[in-house]
Amino acid sequence: MTQQPADSEKSIHTDFKNSMTYGEYLQLDKILAGQARLSDHHDEMLFIIIHQVSELWMKLILHELESSIAAIVKGDLQTAFKQLARVSKTQSQITQAWDVLSTLTPSEYMEFRDTLGQASGFQSYQYRMIEFALGYKTPHVLKIYEKDQELHARLEKAYKEPGLYDVSIQALAKAGLPISPDILNRDCTKPYRKDDSVQAAWLTVYRNTDQYWDLYQLAEKLVDIEDWLQQWRFRHMKTVERIIGFKQGTGGSSGVNYLKKVLDQQFFPELWDLRTEI
């Protein structure tokens, strides 16, 4: 028997013949129709949903990163702080998704793994765009997306644009801190390499926090993001090891060995090195 709302809730809307519903606003019909299993195995549903949820979180991360980069360029650091804080909170959620996927056992995964073919998380274009936004750029990954010309063009554009650290270093220079012209005018398609002038500038910020409070806050927001990204990578690596051991990845990578290597990548090296010097 359906319970009727209490008298105090009589204002709840129940007639949606001419109004937009919650499901329509969120386009739930499209979202919830997207879990098309390629096998009859029960646990493939878990595998699909975890990866779809992660891609939704990545969409939000990109949305906030792109806006924060634009805000820093304009000198609006307070807006950037809000957006970068949201990135970190979102990263905490996407990291916890691995805890759910780790309930998938090796025996269960092998029942449907072959249906994936060569599809792999390695091919996530949003993850590549996050790497680009954080300054890690490798041209060979663009080849993966040549099948879709529109997507390839979008990735190529992101590949050529300044990343979060590039605009943060520009903010150091705008504040009067000396930065090497080679860094300020560098080719943004190349992976960032640490620089003595950038190291000295950040050290000045950390040693004079009252004078450079906004830049100090910016630096800590960047550290938060890299910290969370590395935690995500570590949980990814351990979840893969737990489920498939040291097998080759479906996309052709070396699997766990590849994931261990990327743990050594740094995005904002001076912000980590200065901790030893202070």
Side-chain angles (χ1 to χ4, degrees):
M1 182 177 177
T2 304
Q3 273 191 323
Q4 296 299 316
D7 289 345
S8 61
E9 302 295 343
K10 285 185 176 180
S11 62
I12 291 177
H13 294 288
T14 57
D15 183 358
F16 288 93
K17 291 175 183 176
N18 298 305
S19 302
M20 179 177 64
T21 65
Y22 169 82
E24 288 168 339
Y25 173 68
L26 295 177
Q27 299 188 57
L28 290 181
D29 54 340
K30 296 178 181 178
I31 294 173
L32 299 180
Q35 294 71 49
R37 288 183 292 167
L38 299 180
S39 75
D40 293 328
H41 198 276
H42 173 86
D43 293 312
E44 190 182 356
M45 183 66 74
L46 163 69
F47 191 82
I48 292 171
I49 288 176
I50 287 296
H51 288 85
Q52 288 180 336
V53 167
S54 295
E55 289 291 338
L56 284 172
W57 282 130
M58 282 191 271
K59 184 171 184 176
L60 179 58
I61 288 171
L62 279 169
H63 178 69
E64 300 297 341
L65 282 177
E66 289 166 0
S67 293
S68 66
I69 289 171
I72 293 169
V73 169
K74 291 188 297 184
D76 184 6
L77 295 186
Q78 292 301 319
T79 295
F81 296 158
K82 172 68 174 176
Q83 293 163 340
L84 294 174
R86 184 174 292 158
V87 169
S88 294
K89 289 295 185 182
T90 307
Q91 287 176 296
S92 73
Q93 294 298 307
I94 199 171
T95 299
Q96 289 178 18
W98 295 120
D99 295 339
V100 183
L101 187 59
S102 67
T103 64
L104 182 68
T105 69
S107 299
E108 292 162 348
Y109 182 46
M110 292 311 294
E111 289 290 326
F112 63 87
R113 187 181 192 234
D114 287 347
T115 65
L116 302 180
Q118 295 177 328
S120 165
F122 183 85
Q123 298 145 18
S124 168
Y125 75 85
Q126 291 196 122
Y127 178 73
R128 295 302 168 195
M129 290 184 72
I130 290 171
E131 284 192 328
F132 291 173
L134 297 181
Y136 184 75
K137 299 179 179 181
T138 50
H140 67 274
V141 301
L142 292 173
K143 185 173 179 60
I144 297 171
Y145 311 101
E146 289 177 348
K147 180 178 180 180
D148 184 332
Q149 291 184 352
E150 185 177 337
L151 175 58
H152 186 268
R154 182 182 170 194
L155 279 150
E156 198 166 36
K157 181 176 181 292
Y159 178 78
K160 293 176 180 177
E161 290 177 342
L164 179 61
Y165 202 41
D166 293 308
V167 299
S168 296
I169 292 171
Q170 293 282 348
L172 290 172
K174 289 175 184 176
L177 293 161
I179 303 292
S180 167
D182 290 341
I183 293 297
L184 294 176
N185 301 308
R186 78 181 195 89
D187 181 354
C188 292
T189 66
K190 306 296 183 185
Y192 178 79
R193 297 287 181 264
K194 61 184 177 181
D195 176 82
D196 289 343
S197 68
V198 175
Q199 176 88 355
W202 283 126
L203 272 170
T204 299
V205 169
Y206 273 76
R207 287 171 173 160
N208 301 274
T209 56
D210 289 343
Q211 182 180 353
Y212 298 105
W213 183 254
D214 281 354
L215 292 172
Y216 177 57
Q217 283 186 285
L218 175 60
E220 285 299 294
K221 291 289 187 290
L222 298 182
V223 171
D224 285 342
I225 287 171
E226 181 162 348
D227 192 348
W228 274 112
L229 182 66
Q230 293 294 58
Q231 290 187 55
W232 181 89
R233 284 175 160 180
F234 180 79
R235 288 297 300 128
H236 182 192
M237 181 269 291
K238 293 307 292 184
T239 302
V240 171
E241 183 178 1
R242 176 172 177 158
I243 296 174
I244 67 167
F246 285 81
K247 292 185 181 73
Q248 187 180 62
T250 51
S253 76
S254 58
V256 169
N257 287 324
Y258 168 78
L259 296 174
K260 283 184 175 180
K261 282 190 291 185
V262 299
L263 285 171
D264 292 330
Q265 293 172 359
Q266 279 192 313
F267 296 94
F268 318 128
E270 293 88 357
L271 292 177
W272 295 97
D273 290 350
L274 67 80
R275 281 154 163 74
T276 305
E277 296 192 40
I278 289 176

